[in-house]
Amino acid sequence: MRRFFSVVSAAMLMAGASVAGAAEVSLGKPHVFLIFEDSGGLSNELATVEGPVLAMTDKGRSLQMVVDVIVDGEPDALFFDPPRVEVTARGDRGDVLFQKTWPIGSIGDYGTTMRSFIVDHDCRPVTVEARLTAGGADAGRWEKRVAISCEAP
């Protein structure tokens, strides 16, 4: 097994990928969009929006949102001990709407990799939390509350 691991590592290095034992990664800027069910279109970026977000607009009605969690690192890096991204989306009553952990085995050509998920918001505010761990240590966190409503203010 050790020989196989060495051969695979050598092949990856020859192919131009760097192989890292301890991950040097960070959370990048997340993306959050409403999904409009009538058209299948997306809203404008919501990750930086403060205040109420109306889910019934001239673009249609939204009952779901998509969240993109971005992990930044060295381009083409591969990890023997992959960092992990843990995400939780909670409704306004603290109920868990989505929860998942992904290992990040590699970083893409442009120095990022992305994990996306869809949350059913049902016209209620949603709080999304992401935590990145690498080598057993906390490598970053972010939290975003999207104050979704289907009623005009």
Side-chain angles (χ1 to χ4, degrees):
M1 182 68 169
R2 179 176 261 170
R3 178 165 165 66
F4 173 75
F5 185 69
S6 297
V7 170
V8 169
S9 296
M12 289 187 299
L13 287 171
M14 289 172 51
S18 66
V19 181
E24 292 186 21
V25 292
S26 62
L27 285 174
K29 180 185 170 292
H31 301 285
V32 180
F33 303 94
L34 295 180
I35 302 170
F36 293 108
E37 63 182 32
D38 303 324
S39 66
L42 299 177
S43 69
N44 293 331
E45 172 68 66
L46 300 177
T48 59
V49 172
E50 299 298 326
V53 174
L54 194 57
M56 294 185 75
T57 71
D58 57 347
K59 290 185 178 181
R61 178 177 69 163
S62 171
L63 298 174
Q64 296 180 314
M65 64 187 223
V66 63
V67 179
D68 299 329
V69 179
I70 309 297
V71 178
D72 294 329
E74 181 183 334
D76 298 320
L78 302 170
F79 303 110
F80 294 134
D81 180 17
R84 298 174 108 36
V85 172
E86 302 169 37
V87 297
T88 304
R90 297 184 189 281
D92 57 341
R93 295 182 287 263
D95 48 323
V96 175
L97 304 174
F98 182 89
Q99 190 168 39
K100 183 157 179 146
T101 301
W102 289 281
I104 304 298
S106 64
I107 300 293
D109 294 350
Y110 297 102
T112 63
T113 194
M114 179 172 63
R115 298 297 183 265
S116 301
F117 60 96
I118 293 175
V119 177
D120 294 330
H121 62 72
D122 296 326
C123 289
R124 300 182 309 154
V126 175
T127 300
V128 180
E129 303 166 353
R131 178 176 171 231
L132 178 64
T133 56
D138 194 353
R141 294 174 184 258
W142 62 257
E143 180 178 311
K144 173 63 182 169
R145 182 175 188 274
V146 184
I148 299 170
S149 174
C150 282
E151 298 176 18

